[in-house]
mmCIF file of all heavy atoms in Angstrom:
data_model
loop_
_atom_site.group_PDB
_atom_site.id
_atom_site.type_symbol
_atom_site.label_atom_id
_atom_site.label_comp_id
_atom_site.label_asym_id
_atom_site.label_seq_id
_atom_site.Cartn_x
_atom_site.Cartn_y
_atom_site.Cartn_z
ATOM 1 N N SER J 1 4.951 -4.691 7.368
ATOM 2 C CA SER J 1 4.970 -3.437 6.605
ATOM 3 C C SER J 1 4.184 -2.365 7.424
ATOM 4 O O SER J 1 3.085 -2.717 7.935
ATOM 5 C CB SER J 1 4.313 -3.588 5.238
ATOM 6 O OG SER J 1 4.126 -2.379 4.596
ATOM 7 N N PRO J 2 4.669 -1.125 7.360
ATOM 8 C CA PRO J 2 3.892 -0.088 8.095
ATOM 9 C C PRO J 2 2.679 0.371 7.319
ATOM 10 O O PRO J 2 1.950 1.162 7.743
ATOM 11 C CB PRO J 2 4.946 1.048 8.173
ATOM 12 C CG PRO J 2 5.925 0.802 7.144
ATOM 13 C CD PRO J 2 5.989 -0.653 7.013
ATOM 14 N N ARG J 3 2.545 -0.332 6.086
ATOM 15 C CA ARG J 3 1.217 0.118 5.260
ATOM 16 C C ARG J 3 0.110 -0.344 5.967
ATOM 17 O O ARG J 3 -1.058 0.091 5.582
ATOM 18 C CB ARG J 3 1.421 -0.439 3.869
ATOM 19 C CG ARG J 3 2.465 0.111 3.018
ATOM 20 C CD ARG J 3 2.453 -0.409 1.637
ATOM 21 N NE ARG J 3 2.819 -1.838 1.625
ATOM 22 C CZ ARG J 3 4.072 -2.262 1.495
ATOM 23 N NH1 ARG J 3 5.067 -1.418 1.358
ATOM 24 N NH2 ARG J 3 4.346 -3.560 1.382
ATOM 25 N N LEU J 4 0.059 -1.262 6.822
ATOM 26 C CA LEU J 4 -1.140 -1.839 7.562
ATOM 27 C C LEU J 4 -0.914 -1.676 9.102
ATOM 28 O O LEU J 4 0.157 -1.497 9.554
ATOM 29 C CB LEU J 4 -1.294 -3.312 7.305
ATOM 30 C CG LEU J 4 -1.554 -3.656 5.855
ATOM 31 C CD1 LEU J 4 -1.709 -5.178 5.663
ATOM 32 C CD2 LEU J 4 -2.908 -3.034 5.300
ATOM 33 N N PRO J 5 -2.144 -1.649 9.781
ATOM 34 C CA PRO J 5 -2.000 -1.422 11.284
ATOM 35 C C PRO J 5 -1.220 -2.485 11.885
ATOM 36 O O PRO J 5 -1.415 -3.743 11.644
ATOM 37 C CB PRO J 5 -3.462 -1.337 11.771
ATOM 38 C CG PRO J 5 -4.235 -0.970 10.437
ATOM 39 C CD PRO J 5 -3.442 -1.536 9.323
ATOM 40 N N SER J 6 -0.377 -2.190 12.918
ATOM 41 C CA SER J 6 0.419 -3.197 13.619
ATOM 42 C C SER J 6 -0.359 -4.390 14.220
ATOM 43 O O SER J 6 -0.032 -5.419 14.238
ATOM 44 C CB SER J 6 1.363 -2.507 14.643
ATOM 45 O OG SER J 6 2.237 -1.658 14.034
ATOM 46 N N GLN J 7 -1.617 -3.851 14.626
ATOM 47 C CA GLN J 7 -2.502 -4.884 15.388
ATOM 48 C C GLN J 7 -2.871 -6.102 14.559
ATOM 49 O O GLN J 7 -2.927 -7.172 14.980
ATOM 50 C CB GLN J 7 -3.712 -4.214 15.889
ATOM 51 C CG GLN J 7 -4.500 -5.035 16.758
ATOM 52 C CD GLN J 7 -3.760 -5.498 18.068
ATOM 53 O OE1 GLN J 7 -3.239 -4.635 18.709
ATOM 54 N NE2 GLN J 7 -3.867 -6.740 18.391
ATOM 55 N N ARG J 8 -3.008 -5.882 13.157
ATOM 56 C CA ARG J 8 -3.239 -6.980 12.314
ATOM 57 C C ARG J 8 -2.126 -8.028 12.362
ATOM 58 O O ARG J 8 -2.306 -9.173 12.407
ATOM 59 C CB ARG J 8 -3.462 -6.540 10.957
ATOM 60 C CG ARG J 8 -4.873 -5.667 10.778
ATOM 61 C CD ARG J 8 -5.135 -5.479 9.315
ATOM 62 N NE ARG J 8 -5.310 -6.591 8.476
ATOM 63 C CZ ARG J 8 -5.474 -6.633 7.242
ATOM 64 N NH1 ARG J 8 -5.566 -5.365 6.558
ATOM 65 N NH2 ARG J 8 -5.513 -7.711 6.507
ATOM 66 N N TYR J 9 -0.946 -7.531 12.421
ATOM 67 C CA TYR J 9 0.221 -8.445 12.436
ATOM 68 C C TYR J 9 0.306 -9.180 13.846
ATOM 69 O O TYR J 9 0.632 -10.449 14.006
ATOM 70 C CB TYR J 9 1.585 -7.697 12.185
ATOM 71 C CG TYR J 9 1.711 -7.354 10.749
ATOM 72 C CD1 TYR J 9 1.281 -5.984 10.321
ATOM 73 C CD2 TYR J 9 2.240 -8.188 9.678
ATOM 74 C CE1 TYR J 9 1.441 -5.571 8.989
ATOM 75 C CE2 TYR J 9 2.302 -7.869 8.478
ATOM 76 C CZ TYR J 9 1.994 -6.588 8.033
ATOM 77 O OH TYR J 9 1.974 -6.226 6.756
ATOM 78 N N LEU J 10 0.027 -8.346 14.830
ATOM 79 C CA LEU J 10 0.113 -8.902 16.202
ATOM 80 C C LEU J 10 -1.082 -10.045 16.367
ATOM 81 O O LEU J 10 -0.768 -11.013 17.036
ATOM 82 C CB LEU J 10 -0.203 -7.802 17.241
ATOM 83 C CG LEU J 10 1.030 -6.766 17.359
ATOM 84 C CD1 LEU J 10 0.659 -5.610 18.220
ATOM 85 C CD2 LEU J 10 2.311 -7.472 17.790
ATOM 86 N N ASP J 11 -2.067 -9.828 15.724
ATOM 87 C CA ASP J 11 -3.118 -10.764 15.838
ATOM 88 C C ASP J 11 -2.782 -12.111 15.158
ATOM 89 O O ASP J 11 -3.044 -13.135 15.665
ATOM 90 C CB ASP J 11 -4.493 -10.292 15.023
ATOM 91 C CG ASP J 11 -5.157 -9.238 15.972
ATOM 92 O OD1 ASP J 11 -4.923 -9.041 17.112
ATOM 93 O OD2 ASP J 11 -5.872 -8.438 15.302
ATOM 94 N N VAL J 12 -2.037 -12.057 14.045
ATOM 95 C CA VAL J 12 -1.576 -13.204 13.267
ATOM 96 C C VAL J 12 -0.587 -13.856 14.198
ATOM 97 O O VAL J 12 -0.616 -15.140 14.373
ATOM 98 C CB VAL J 12 -1.003 -12.823 12.019
ATOM 99 C CG1 VAL J 12 -0.243 -14.155 11.324
ATOM 100 C CG2 VAL J 12 -1.932 -12.271 11.039
ATOM 101 N N MET J 13 0.352 -13.145 14.795
ATOM 102 C CA MET J 13 1.269 -13.732 15.663
ATOM 103 C C MET J 13 0.704 -14.323 16.939
ATOM 104 O O MET J 13 1.069 -15.527 17.210
ATOM 105 C CB MET J 13 2.260 -12.580 16.148
ATOM 106 C CG MET J 13 3.263 -11.978 15.106
ATOM 107 S SD MET J 13 4.286 -10.788 15.751
ATOM 108 C CE MET J 13 5.184 -11.645 16.992
ATOM 109 N N SER J 14 -0.286 -13.803 17.348
ATOM 110 C CA SER J 14 -1.018 -14.409 18.605
ATOM 111 C C SER J 14 -1.616 -15.752 18.130
ATOM 112 O O SER J 14 -1.552 -16.640 18.929
ATOM 113 C CB SER J 14 -2.007 -13.468 19.139
ATOM 114 O OG SER J 14 -2.837 -13.998 20.162
ATOM 115 N N ARG J 15 -2.320 -15.766 17.067
ATOM 116 C CA ARG J 15 -2.982 -17.048 16.556
ATOM 117 C C ARG J 15 -1.836 -18.030 16.272
ATOM 118 O O ARG J 15 -1.976 -19.344 16.615
ATOM 119 C CB ARG J 15 -3.787 -16.825 15.334
ATOM 120 C CG ARG J 15 -5.058 -16.007 15.611
ATOM 121 C CD ARG J 15 -6.020 -15.956 14.453
ATOM 122 N NE ARG J 15 -5.445 -15.368 13.361
ATOM 123 C CZ ARG J 15 -5.736 -14.126 13.064
ATOM 124 N NH1 ARG J 15 -6.366 -13.346 13.953
ATOM 125 N NH2 ARG J 15 -5.235 -13.516 11.821
ATOM 126 N N ALA J 16 -0.815 -17.714 15.694
ATOM 127 C CA ALA J 16 0.306 -18.708 15.400
ATOM 128 C C ALA J 16 0.946 -19.315 16.716
ATOM 129 O O ALA J 16 1.110 -20.477 16.854
ATOM 130 C CB ALA J 16 1.370 -18.071 14.593
ATOM 131 N N TYR J 17 1.307 -18.356 17.672
ATOM 132 C CA TYR J 17 1.748 -18.891 18.806
ATOM 133 C C TYR J 17 0.842 -19.838 19.568
ATOM 134 O O TYR J 17 1.237 -20.758 20.197
ATOM 135 C CB TYR J 17 2.206 -17.662 19.821
ATOM 136 C CG TYR J 17 3.428 -17.026 19.287
ATOM 137 C CD1 TYR J 17 3.605 -15.584 19.221
ATOM 138 C CD2 TYR J 17 4.628 -17.719 19.081
ATOM 139 C CE1 TYR J 17 4.801 -15.035 18.979
ATOM 140 C CE2 TYR J 17 5.784 -17.169 18.615
ATOM 141 C CZ TYR J 17 5.923 -15.763 18.662
ATOM 142 O OH TYR J 17 7.054 -15.199 18.328
ATOM 143 N N ALA J 18 -0.462 -19.411 19.553
ATOM 144 C CA ALA J 18 -1.412 -20.236 20.181
ATOM 145 C C ALA J 18 -1.540 -21.592 19.612
ATOM 146 O O ALA J 18 -1.798 -22.626 20.336
ATOM 147 C CB ALA J 18 -2.808 -19.560 20.176
ATOM 148 N N ALA J 19 -1.297 -21.703 18.281
ATOM 149 C CA ALA J 19 -1.338 -23.150 17.618
ATOM 150 C C ALA J 19 -0.027 -23.828 17.854
ATOM 151 O O ALA J 19 0.048 -24.950 17.450
ATOM 152 C CB ALA J 19 -1.531 -22.767 16.189
ATOM 153 N N GLY J 20 0.920 -23.057 18.429
ATOM 154 C CA GLY J 20 2.185 -23.865 18.711
ATOM 155 C C GLY J 20 3.279 -23.626 17.615
ATOM 156 O O GLY J 20 4.417 -24.338 17.566
ATOM 157 N N CYS J 21 3.067 -22.575 16.721
ATOM 158 C CA CYS J 21 4.002 -22.386 15.661
ATOM 159 C C CYS J 21 5.062 -21.381 16.130
ATOM 160 O O CYS J 21 4.700 -20.359 16.800
ATOM 161 C CB CYS J 21 3.091 -21.941 14.371
ATOM 162 S SG CYS J 21 4.201 -21.507 13.014
ATOM 163 N N SER J 22 6.293 -21.595 15.654
ATOM 164 C CA SER J 22 7.336 -20.667 15.843
ATOM 165 C C SER J 22 7.269 -19.470 14.820
ATOM 166 O O SER J 22 6.964 -19.834 13.663
ATOM 167 C CB SER J 22 8.780 -21.329 15.824
ATOM 168 O OG SER J 22 9.743 -20.480 15.782
ATOM 169 N N ILE J 23 7.703 -18.220 15.251
ATOM 170 C CA ILE J 23 7.540 -17.174 14.354
ATOM 171 C C ILE J 23 9.006 -16.504 14.271
ATOM 172 O O ILE J 23 9.666 -16.465 15.285
ATOM 173 C CB ILE J 23 6.645 -16.072 14.871
ATOM 174 C CG1 ILE J 23 5.249 -16.565 14.887
ATOM 175 C CG2 ILE J 23 6.754 -14.739 14.073
ATOM 176 C CD1 ILE J 23 4.600 -16.716 13.565
ATOM 177 N N LYS J 24 9.354 -16.008 13.054
ATOM 178 C CA LYS J 24 10.646 -15.387 12.832
ATOM 179 C C LYS J 24 10.460 -14.328 11.788
ATOM 180 O O LYS J 24 9.451 -14.318 11.155
ATOM 181 C CB LYS J 24 11.828 -16.308 12.599
ATOM 182 C CG LYS J 24 11.778 -16.829 11.373
ATOM 183 C CD LYS J 24 13.067 -17.793 10.983
ATOM 184 C CE LYS J 24 13.094 -18.356 9.703
ATOM 185 N NZ LYS J 24 14.293 -19.228 9.476
ATOM 186 N N ARG J 25 11.362 -13.443 11.824
ATOM 187 C CA ARG J 25 11.447 -12.352 10.648
ATOM 188 C C ARG J 25 12.818 -11.955 10.389
ATOM 189 O O ARG J 25 13.667 -11.788 11.249
ATOM 190 C CB ARG J 25 10.714 -11.108 11.033
ATOM 191 C CG ARG J 25 10.683 -10.063 9.988
ATOM 192 C CD ARG J 25 9.785 -8.833 10.393
ATOM 193 N NE ARG J 25 9.787 -7.892 9.197
ATOM 194 C CZ ARG J 25 10.557 -6.930 9.188
ATOM 195 N NH1 ARG J 25 11.516 -6.550 10.029
ATOM 196 N NH2 ARG J 25 10.544 -6.069 8.130
ATOM 197 N N ALA J 26 13.277 -12.025 9.027
ATOM 198 C CA ALA J 26 14.637 -11.814 8.702
ATOM 199 C C ALA J 26 14.841 -10.557 7.843
ATOM 200 O O ALA J 26 15.970 -10.254 7.486
ATOM 201 C CB ALA J 26 15.188 -13.103 8.019
ATOM 202 N N GLY J 27 13.709 -9.947 7.310
ATOM 203 C CA GLY J 27 13.820 -8.714 6.650
ATOM 204 C C GLY J 27 14.022 -8.715 5.169
ATOM 205 O O GLY J 27 14.345 -7.691 4.612
ATOM 206 N N SER J 28 13.875 -9.807 4.466
ATOM 207 C CA SER J 28 13.738 -9.939 3.054
ATOM 208 C C SER J 28 12.673 -10.830 2.664
ATOM 209 O O SER J 28 12.759 -12.082 2.862
ATOM 210 C CB SER J 28 15.006 -10.487 2.494
ATOM 211 O OG SER J 28 14.887 -10.754 1.059
ATOM 212 N N GLY J 29 11.607 -10.298 2.104
ATOM 213 C CA GLY J 29 10.375 -11.119 1.655
ATOM 214 C C GLY J 29 10.808 -12.157 0.637
ATOM 215 O O GLY J 29 10.418 -13.271 0.728
ATOM 216 N N THR J 30 11.723 -11.655 -0.336
ATOM 217 C CA THR J 30 12.028 -12.664 -1.419
ATOM 218 C C THR J 30 12.789 -13.870 -0.803
ATOM 219 O O THR J 30 12.440 -14.996 -1.077
ATOM 220 C CB THR J 30 12.941 -11.942 -2.363
ATOM 221 O OG1 THR J 30 12.174 -10.781 -3.010
ATOM 222 C CG2 THR J 30 13.435 -12.904 -3.492
ATOM 223 N N LEU J 31 13.744 -13.548 0.125
ATOM 224 C CA LEU J 31 14.455 -14.697 0.729
ATOM 225 C C LEU J 31 13.587 -15.481 1.622
ATOM 226 O O LEU J 31 13.833 -16.750 1.846
ATOM 227 C CB LEU J 31 15.674 -14.239 1.467
ATOM 228 C CG LEU J 31 16.877 -13.816 0.637
ATOM 229 C CD1 LEU J 31 17.978 -13.259 1.325
ATOM 230 C CD2 LEU J 31 17.276 -14.868 -0.414
ATOM 231 N N GLY J 32 12.619 -14.870 2.218
ATOM 232 C CA GLY J 32 11.540 -15.584 2.938
ATOM 233 C C GLY J 32 10.955 -16.576 2.239
ATOM 234 O O GLY J 32 10.806 -17.733 2.685
ATOM 235 N N LEU J 33 10.530 -16.330 0.985
ATOM 236 C CA LEU J 33 9.947 -17.297 0.045
ATOM 237 C C LEU J 33 10.935 -18.405 -0.294
ATOM 238 O O LEU J 33 10.589 -19.522 -0.299
ATOM 239 C CB LEU J 33 9.380 -16.726 -1.157
ATOM 240 C CG LEU J 33 7.882 -16.142 -1.141
ATOM 241 C CD1 LEU J 33 7.764 -14.996 -0.151
ATOM 242 C CD2 LEU J 33 7.401 -15.707 -2.506
ATOM 243 N N CYS J 34 12.152 -17.945 -0.570
ATOM 244 C CA CYS J 34 13.202 -18.995 -0.954
ATOM 245 C C CYS J 34 13.497 -19.934 0.122
ATOM 246 O O CYS J 34 13.777 -21.042 -0.112
ATOM 247 C CB CYS J 34 14.456 -18.216 -1.402
ATOM 248 S SG CYS J 34 14.403 -17.291 -2.980
ATOM 249 N N ASN J 35 13.425 -19.423 1.444
ATOM 250 C CA ASN J 35 13.698 -20.298 2.541
ATOM 251 C C ASN J 35 12.633 -21.377 2.649
ATOM 252 O O ASN J 35 12.752 -22.276 3.316
ATOM 253 C CB ASN J 35 13.941 -19.466 3.699
ATOM 254 C CG ASN J 35 15.274 -18.881 3.751
ATOM 255 O OD1 ASN J 35 16.282 -19.400 3.112
ATOM 256 N ND2 ASN J 35 15.369 -17.653 4.414
ATOM 257 N N VAL J 36 11.421 -21.014 2.357
ATOM 258 C CA VAL J 36 10.328 -22.023 2.303
ATOM 259 C C VAL J 36 10.700 -23.021 1.295
ATOM 260 O O VAL J 36 10.557 -24.291 1.419
ATOM 261 C CB VAL J 36 8.941 -21.382 1.973
ATOM 262 C CG1 VAL J 36 7.925 -22.530 1.864
ATOM 263 C CG2 VAL J 36 8.598 -20.513 3.060
ATOM 264 N N ALA J 37 11.096 -22.505 0.004
ATOM 265 C CA ALA J 37 11.415 -23.554 -0.975
ATOM 266 C C ALA J 37 12.528 -24.499 -0.772
ATOM 267 O O ALA J 37 12.520 -25.548 -1.133
ATOM 268 C CB ALA J 37 11.791 -22.768 -2.255
ATOM 269 N N ASN J 38 13.502 -24.037 0.067
ATOM 270 C CA ASN J 38 14.596 -24.922 0.391
ATOM 271 C C ASN J 38 14.435 -25.675 1.744
ATOM 272 O O ASN J 38 15.269 -26.405 2.158
ATOM 273 C CB ASN J 38 15.939 -24.317 0.344
ATOM 274 C CG ASN J 38 16.102 -23.111 1.413
ATOM 275 O OD1 ASN J 38 15.462 -23.223 2.435
ATOM 276 N ND2 ASN J 38 16.849 -22.141 0.977
ATOM 277 N N GLY J 39 13.270 -25.538 2.315
ATOM 278 C CA GLY J 39 12.840 -26.374 3.513
ATOM 279 C C GLY J 39 13.375 -25.695 4.874
ATOM 280 O O GLY J 39 13.318 -26.376 5.904
ATOM 281 N N ARG J 40 14.169 -24.512 4.726
ATOM 282 C CA ARG J 40 14.629 -23.982 6.017
ATOM 283 C C ARG J 40 13.508 -23.422 6.959
ATOM 284 O O ARG J 40 13.657 -23.366 8.152
ATOM 285 C CB ARG J 40 15.534 -22.760 5.623
ATOM 286 C CG ARG J 40 16.848 -23.207 4.942
ATOM 287 C CD ARG J 40 17.600 -21.995 4.548
ATOM 288 N NE ARG J 40 18.829 -22.354 3.718
ATOM 289 C CZ ARG J 40 19.516 -21.646 3.057
ATOM 290 N NH1 ARG J 40 19.181 -20.435 2.881
ATOM 291 N NH2 ARG J 40 20.631 -21.993 2.371
ATOM 292 N N THR J 41 12.371 -22.990 6.387
ATOM 293 C CA THR J 41 11.170 -22.717 7.115
ATOM 294 C C THR J 41 9.959 -23.419 6.516
ATOM 295 O O THR J 41 10.156 -23.941 5.355
ATOM 296 C CB THR J 41 10.816 -21.180 7.082
ATOM 297 O OG1 THR J 41 10.772 -20.694 5.750
ATOM 298 C CG2 THR J 41 11.993 -20.477 7.879
ATOM 299 N N ASP J 42 8.895 -23.366 7.101
ATOM 300 C CA ASP J 42 7.675 -24.130 6.617
ATOM 301 C C ASP J 42 6.656 -23.326 5.940
ATOM 302 O O ASP J 42 5.779 -23.765 5.370
ATOM 303 C CB ASP J 42 7.062 -24.939 7.739
ATOM 304 C CG ASP J 42 8.093 -25.875 8.445
ATOM 305 O OD1 ASP J 42 8.644 -26.606 7.733
ATOM 306 O OD2 ASP J 42 8.377 -25.647 9.679
ATOM 307 N N GLY J 43 6.809 -21.957 6.222
ATOM 308 C CA GLY J 43 5.862 -20.992 5.627
ATOM 309 C C GLY J 43 6.364 -19.568 5.681
ATOM 310 O O GLY J 43 7.181 -19.160 6.569
#
């Protein structure tokens, strides 16, 4: 969201990649949660 500085998101991405986690974005927060519920993503 542009409500927060982009650097904060980049920092999260950097930590996730460093831990070996894959990152994606699909553009719907609600469906993002649903995709965790059905096991398509892990978080």
Side-chain angles (χ1 to χ4, degrees):
S1 166
R3 291 185 293 272
L4 295 178
S6 295
Q7 189 60 48
R8 291 186 58 184
Y9 290 95
L10 294 172
D11 290 344
V12 173
M13 290 178 63
S14 178
R15 291 192 293 269
Y17 283 134
C21 184
S22 173
I23 296 288
K24 67 178 184 178
R25 180 173 184 267
S28 166
T30 301
L31 287 180
L33 271 67
C34 289
N35 285 331
V36 175
N38 64 31
R40 292 174 185 162
T41 58
D42 305 301

